Amino acid sequence: MKPALAAVPAGSEQPFYLAAEKIYPREIRGRFTRLRKLAVLILLGLYYGVAWLQWDGHQALLFDLPARKFHIFALTLWPQDFLYLALLLILAALSLFFFTALAGRLWCGYACPQTVWTELFTWIEQWTEGTRSKRMKLDRGPWTLEKLTRKTLKQVLWVALAAYTGFTFVGYFTPIRTLSGELFSLSLGFWSAFWICLYSLATYGNAGFLREQVCKYMCPYARFQSAMFDRNTLIISYDEARGEPRGPRRRGTAARSQGLGDCIDCTLCVQVCPTGIDIRKGLQYECIACGACIDACDDVMDKMGAPPGLIRYTTEEALHGQRTHIVRPRMLVYAGLLLAISTLFVYSLATRTPLILDVIRDRNALYREIHGDVIENAYSLRVINLDRRPHAYRLTVRGLDRLQIAEPIGPIVVAGGTVATVPARLQAPAATAAGGVHPITAVLTSTDDPRISVHETARFIGPRS
Ligand code: SF4
Ligand code: SF4
């Protein structure tokens, strides 16, 4: 049967979209709040601090896009090292799957940039405008000098923080010390200024205004994370069997004797929720698993003389009196893949040779005859020193009898992190070079570190008969 359409009085207009209601999260103390604060401090400390770290004369973490080099502490990745980047991205995705299947939205609650910066902006808001009730009263009240002062101070601090966040972000792509010098001497380039403004605006908008709207409507992860959940995944849940029927009662009175559950319907769990949901309605995709409602409810239970855990980390199986299985097929698959790809990543990184050799044949001539009995082939050697230190390399060739190097005679010196193009000439007696194309191998070895050695196959061409 088709549902009947609700009658709309003639002349009245219904808005197509519901206006977002401003959320005023109540301040709360507790173990999960402490944990989140700790995570925020560590992550922000790393974000703002690592940009200034130096390593071996370079910025420790710098994604130098114009030079197409990523400096990651002792490691410099080139476009040729795309494999490592791909492996890192796969590892990050698998870790997200693994931890989500194990413990729900840990990422959202403690480590997501949206959570971290929103938390920081909320601290500033609480510091400048006061507690939840004061903030609500301030917003409802008329514009007074106090309101103007508090709001202005908040905006100044927000803008300063957003600007510094945008500046730091760009500092991971342009050396931050150079960037700060340019900023203070007012000689910032157009693109640097543009990206700083853009990221500052994004931080200000997302953490200051959009907040939970980002999690609810913009974040794709919120939409598909439930696909990684099962009945054994750790979720934050309200214990309905214990809490219902909810209702107010006096402190110290037994709930059951009054036909009530443990929930006193104080709504504190809703007031502290940064996304404004009521966890008592069940698992909702808006829940970012921050644990604030657990802290709030545990506090209430403590005051009421009831055991904590009416809202707690649990699993659907546990809520239905079943045993929770941590080890299950999907966990084993994720863990196995994580282990295999981590091993591959570490192994390939440990055995990486910081040198690339390309042997490019001279296209102008197949070969040259010298004195009638020597055949010469010309090449271009492209030597990429992926190491940060300069190296001298010695070239050797093999694969054809009495094949000799006419050029280069001495070692090839290449500065750290640069590419050198060197002409090369190889010669072989006409008798051995006869017969057309001969596969040969060029070997390039560092004179100061023989472990740095690469080889490349090439062709040596002689007369057909
Ligand atoms: S904080 Fe606890 S007691 Fe209060 S409404 Fe929420 S679930 Fe009920
Ligand atoms: S329901 Fe609880 S855990 Fe989920 S977002 Fe709200 S306060 Fe955080």
Side-chain angles (χ1 to χ4, degrees):
M1 198 174 79
K2 272 189 178 180
L5 288 173
V8 177
S12 75
E13 284 193 6
Q14 298 275 316
F16 194 69
Y17 296 107
L18 211 59
E21 271 185 40
K22 187 171 174 184
I23 292 171
Y24 298 86
R26 179 185 278 273
E27 320 55 51
I28 183 73
R29 289 205 180 102
R31 57 203 163 120
F32 292 106
T33 306
R34 275 198 299 278
L35 203 60
R36 200 170 59 257
K37 279 187 179 158
L38 186 69
V40 168
L41 290 177
I42 291 174
L43 291 170
L44 286 179
L46 285 174
Y47 175 78
Y48 292 116
V50 168
W52 294 95
L53 281 186
Q54 293 286 300
W55 188 280
D56 207 11
H58 286 84
Q59 187 169 317
L61 193 60
L62 179 68
F63 304 102
D64 190 349
L65 294 179
R68 292 190 288 168
K69 287 181 207 167
F70 289 178
H71 300 287
I72 305 169
F73 293 86
L75 189 70
T76 299
L77 294 180
W78 291 57
Q80 289 82 350
D81 294 315
F82 177 76
L83 171 75
Y84 300 109
L85 209 60
L87 287 179
L88 264 183
L89 290 176
I90 295 172
L91 276 178
L94 276 175
S95 304
L96 191 67
F97 296 166
F98 178 79
F99 287 108
T100 304
L102 184 70
R105 296 175 70 173
L106 278 185
W107 164 259
C108 299
Y110 299 92
C112 170
Q114 179 62 23
T115 303
V116 169
W117 266 281
T118 300
E119 189 82 12
L120 192 55
F121 273 58
T122 309
W123 292 348
I124 292 177
E125 193 167 62
Q126 288 169 357
W127 185 68
T128 52
E129 296 185 0
T131 58
R132 179 177 191 261
S133 51
K134 281 187 183 161
R135 294 199 304 276
M136 291 167 86
K137 202 170 148 199
L138 198 70
D139 278 357
R140 279 197 304 265
W143 280 95
T144 58
L145 184 63
E146 188 202 347
K147 181 170 176 174
L148 189 68
T149 313
R150 287 182 183 277
K151 292 271 177 197
T152 309
L153 182 60
K154 180 180 85 172
Q155 292 299 332
V156 168
L157 291 175
W158 275 8
V159 169
L161 182 62
Y164 190 62
T165 304
F167 165 78
T168 307
F169 188 81
V170 176
Y172 281 106
F173 295 87
T174 303
I176 198 160
R177 286 161 197 252
T178 314
L179 200 66
S180 59
E182 288 173 359
L183 187 68
F184 286 114
S185 62
L186 300 178
S187 57
L188 210 56
F190 171 79
W191 286 111
S192 298
F194 172 79
W195 289 116
I196 290 175
C197 289
L198 187 73
Y199 288 114
S200 306
L201 196 67
T203 309
Y204 179 81
N206 287 342
F209 291 100
L210 292 177
R211 296 192 175 178
E212 78 288 347
Q213 310 286 328
V214 175
C215 311
K216 279 183 178 176
Y217 305 116
M218 292 161 72
C219 176
Y221 176 56
R223 305 278 156 173
F224 74 78
Q225 43 90 25
S226 59
M228 285 171 261
F229 279 24
D230 57 31
R231 293 178 61 82
N232 291 286
T233 299
L234 219 47
I235 48 170
I236 291 178
S237 196
Y238 167 69
D239 190 341
E240 206 177 321
R242 183 185 147 189
E244 300 296 320
R246 66 186 77 159
R249 64 176 195 278
R250 280 181 187 281
R251 187 181 296 192
T253 53
R256 294 291 164 204
S257 65
Q258 300 174 39
L260 291 171
D262 274 350
C263 174
I264 61 166
D265 206 12
C266 62
T267 71
L268 273 180
C269 52
V270 184
Q271 294 176 34
V272 297
C273 179
T275 62
I277 59 166
D278 186 345
I279 191 72
R280 294 173 299 170
K281 291 181 182 165
L283 183 63
Q284 294 148 73
Y285 81 91
E286 294 97 332
C287 173
I288 58 166
C290 66
C293 52
I294 302 182
D295 286 339
C297 193
D298 279 356
D299 200 30
V300 173
M301 290 297 110
D302 189 40
K303 285 181 183 141
M304 297 303 293
L310 178 56
I311 301 176
R312 63 181 182 273
Y313 266 106
T314 185
T315 64
E316 264 194 70
E317 291 287 35
L319 279 175
H320 291 96
Q322 305 293 318
R323 232 183 98 215
T324 297
H325 298 278
I326 294 176
V327 181
R328 44 199 202 274
R330 74 160 65 195
M331 300 309 299
L332 291 177
V333 170
Y334 289 149
L337 284 171
L338 262 178
L339 190 70
I341 295 176
S342 307
T343 310
L344 178 67
F345 181 74
V346 172
Y347 175 78
S348 53
L349 211 55
T351 54
R352 173 180 181 261
T353 306
L355 174 65
I356 293 175
L357 170 67
D358 287 330
V359 181
I360 305 148
R361 275 190 55 83
D362 180 3
R363 294 184 196 278
N364 294 324
L366 284 179
Y367 61 87
R368 280 201 310 144
E369 282 184 17
I370 301 174
H371 316 306
D373 56 355
V374 173
I375 300 298
E376 181 178 276
N377 280 207
Y379 306 83
S380 246
L381 304 180
R382 197 161 158 265
V383 183
I384 308 175
N385 178 6
L386 302 178
D387 207 357
R388 289 194 179 165
R389 291 179 299 135
H391 285 288
Y393 304 103
R394 187 168 300 286
L395 179 71
T396 54
V397 285
R398 59 176 189 241
L400 189 62
D401 196 24
R402 288 191 284 159
L403 182 66
Q404 288 187 336
I405 300 169
E407 188 188 4
I409 301 298
I412 303 166
V413 180
V414 186
T418 60
V419 183
T421 304
V422 181
R425 286 181 295 118
L426 302 182
Q427 294 177 350
T432 56
V437 178
H438 304 274
I440 58 166
T441 305
V443 182
L444 198 64
T445 308
S446 169
T447 55
D448 52 287
D449 186 352
R451 287 172 305 169
I452 302 177
S453 181
V454 290
H455 60 269
E456 173 79 354
T457 51
R459 292 180 307 155
F460 187 90
I461 301 179
R464 285 231 164 257
S465 58

